[in-house]
Amino acid sequence: MENGTSHSLQDELDTQDLLHGNVLVFHHLMSSLKSLSLRCACGLGIPAALHRLGGSATAAAIVAETGLHPSKLPYLRRLMRALTVSGIFKQQPSPSPAAAGNDDTVYTLTPASRLLVGDTPSSTMSALLSSRPEAGFAMFFRLEEWFRDGGGGGGAGTTTLFEMAHGVASPWDLAREDDDYNRALNEACVVDTSFVMDVVLRGAGGDVFRGLTSLVDVGGGYGAAAAAIARAFPDVKCTVMDLEQVIRGAPVDGGVVQFVAGDMFQPVPPAQAALLKNVLDCWSDDDCVKILRQCKKAIPTRDAGGKVIIINTVVGHGPNDVAVRETQVLYDMYIMSVDGTEREEHEWRKIFLEAGFSDYRIMPILGYQSIIEVFP
């Protein structure tokens, strides 16, 4: 109280600050609708319909192409408008002046929505169309409950958000119990890996594999990364090591790579280089040190070309873009559900040194992810 009047924090802000703060809070509140709208558009096949229509079409043409009932046309316009504002599609006025009064805006594909087209969808589309969405983001409706739970997170024997939602500690535990989920999980990894490795091998990232004679892909799933490397560099002998439950479901690839059942916390097959793609962010610092020590035992000295190649996020590295920065920290929130973490450079450095490595090099060339070469 001051001079008999109440005083609030809002009184300290001018009108523009109040309005901006209100918009920012409301924007965050509504942001979940962006992902739900995108999931809806993919489920309806809108990106593929636009592609079949030559890359651009009116809402009415999209309704006809996707087989939606004509009564949904005004609602589809609103869905497309939302996804246009968020950058998934673009829009342009109708080329026909006579149609302008009918609001027949023409919608076009963007680089983002082109990733959602095709018989073999990108990893993003695979996630959006997952038959098990409850294994993805729905568990975050219990995030506050998890924070208030005294046994939540922080080490062995504690409850993860994933466990609170599903009764098992991690997706890998669920995969051991559910063959369908195991297959879906590994097939989604194949799609993501195929996309990432195509980008890596067509650009400067491919140089990290040049000159190698052998490579072991640790936790390599169905072998998509190793197969891509073997095709690009036929002289590199590639081995994939993963759990038995994963290896037995791996497709026959004509002997391009060798599959070995094993545990990354146990001895790793020897090779000149070890690859860890999107593995270490799923584990605690202590577990990462253990995994890296096994990899270090499997490779030769640096003078003999020995190294570990990591594909993962390095928070703060990459393009200075809001979407990149937000993706890094939001994915860190997502991986927190299994007690994993996306690390900043100083956190990676600590792990490397503790595992006995002497040097590393970060190549921030994969959008929100980086390639890290770690040397013994």
Side-chain angles (χ1 to χ4, degrees):
M1 298 283 293
E2 185 177 355
N3 296 327
T5 62
S6 62
H7 180 79
S8 71
L9 290 175
Q10 291 186 10
D11 294 330
E12 299 175 4
L13 302 173
D14 62 29
T15 301
Q16 288 305 312
D17 286 336
L18 284 171
L19 290 173
H20 177 71
N22 182 61
V23 168
L24 187 61
V25 171
F26 205 68
H27 175 77
H28 275 70
L29 181 64
M30 294 288 104
S31 286
S32 60
L33 291 176
K34 292 200 291 186
S35 58
L36 292 172
S37 297
L38 183 55
R39 178 182 171 85
C40 174
C42 288
L44 295 174
I46 291 174
L50 276 173
H51 180 67
R52 291 193 300 271
L53 292 168
S56 63
T58 63
I62 295 170
V63 164
E65 183 68 20
T66 55
L68 294 175
H69 192 277
S71 66
K72 299 298 183 183
L73 176 59
Y75 304 103
L76 181 70
R77 286 195 178 106
R78 291 158 71 177
L79 176 67
M80 296 300 291
R81 179 175 63 184
L83 291 171
T84 296
V85 169
S86 60
I88 299 300
F89 301 109
K90 286 185 178 179
Q91 68 178 43
Q92 57 193 46
S94 170
S96 171
N102 297 324
D103 191 28
D104 275 344
T105 300
V106 174
Y107 300 96
T108 64
L109 293 171
T110 64
S113 47
R114 287 186 184 279
L115 292 176
L116 308 176
V117 175
D119 296 331
T120 304
S122 70
S123 58
T124 48
M125 185 173 179
S126 296
L128 288 166
L129 297 181
S130 169
S131 59
R132 299 287 298 273
E134 76 282 358
F137 294 95
M139 60 185 166
F140 284 91
F141 285 111
R142 303 184 67 179
L143 187 60
E144 179 185 347
E145 178 187 350
W146 177 79
F147 266 104
R148 293 186 182 278
D149 176 18
T158 58
T159 303
T160 64
L161 180 62
F162 192 93
E163 184 175 6
M164 179 177 283
H166 305 293
V168 292
S170 73
W172 305 277
D173 294 317
L174 183 58
R176 272 193 287 269
E177 300 177 1
D178 186 331
D179 288 341
D180 290 338
Y181 181 78
N182 179 50
R183 182 172 57 255
L185 179 65
N186 284 287
E187 287 175 353
C189 290
V190 167
V191 174
D192 176 74
T193 297
S194 298
F195 172 78
V196 170
M197 293 308 297
D198 178 64
V199 174
V200 169
L201 294 170
R202 73 164 64 176
D207 290 341
V208 301
F209 305 107
R210 201 173 305 279
L212 293 178
T213 57
S214 60
L215 176 141
V216 56
D217 186 359
V218 181
Y222 285 176
I229 294 164
R231 287 191 294 267
F233 301 99
D235 293 335
V236 182
K237 178 184 176 183
C238 291
T239 301
V240 177
M241 189 194 81
D242 213 315
L243 299 172
E244 173 62 35
Q245 73 197 44
V246 176
I247 295 299
R248 67 170 176 261
V252 177
D253 65 353
V256 175
V257 301
Q258 177 184 1
F259 288 91
V260 176
D263 184 333
M264 67 183 74
F265 292 96
Q266 302 298 324
V268 169
Q272 189 176 22
L275 173 65
L276 292 160
K277 178 192 174 293
N278 297 123
V279 170
L280 297 180
D281 57 346
C282 299
W283 298 95
S284 68
D285 287 2
D286 289 344
D287 284 338
C288 285
V289 170
K290 294 173 184 176
I291 294 168
L292 285 168
R293 283 175 177 168
Q294 293 295 342
C295 292
K296 187 172 183 290
K297 294 176 184 176
I299 62 174
T301 64
R302 182 173 184 175
D303 290 342
K307 62 182 175 180
V308 174
I309 302 165
I310 297 170
I311 297 178
N312 249 139
T313 295
V314 181
V315 177
H317 282 251
N320 188 23
D321 178 270
V322 172
V324 169
R325 295 291 183 257
E326 284 197 348
T327 299
Q328 289 177 339
V329 296
L330 290 175
Y331 196 79
D332 176 57
M333 289 287 294
Y334 178 78
I335 208 71
M336 186 175 72
S337 68
V338 295
D339 209 20
T341 181
E342 300 300 337
R343 298 174 171 89
E344 298 179 18
E345 181 178 353
H346 70 93
E347 295 170 307
W348 281 114
R349 182 190 305 114
K350 178 178 179 292
I351 290 170
F352 298 152
L353 294 177
E354 190 171 343
F357 290 85
S358 64
D359 197 10
Y360 64 92
R361 180 172 74 115
I362 298 174
M363 301 174 63
I365 60 174
L366 294 178
Y368 73 95
Q369 296 193 94
S370 296
I371 299 174
I372 314 173
E373 290 181 286
V374 191
F375 305 101

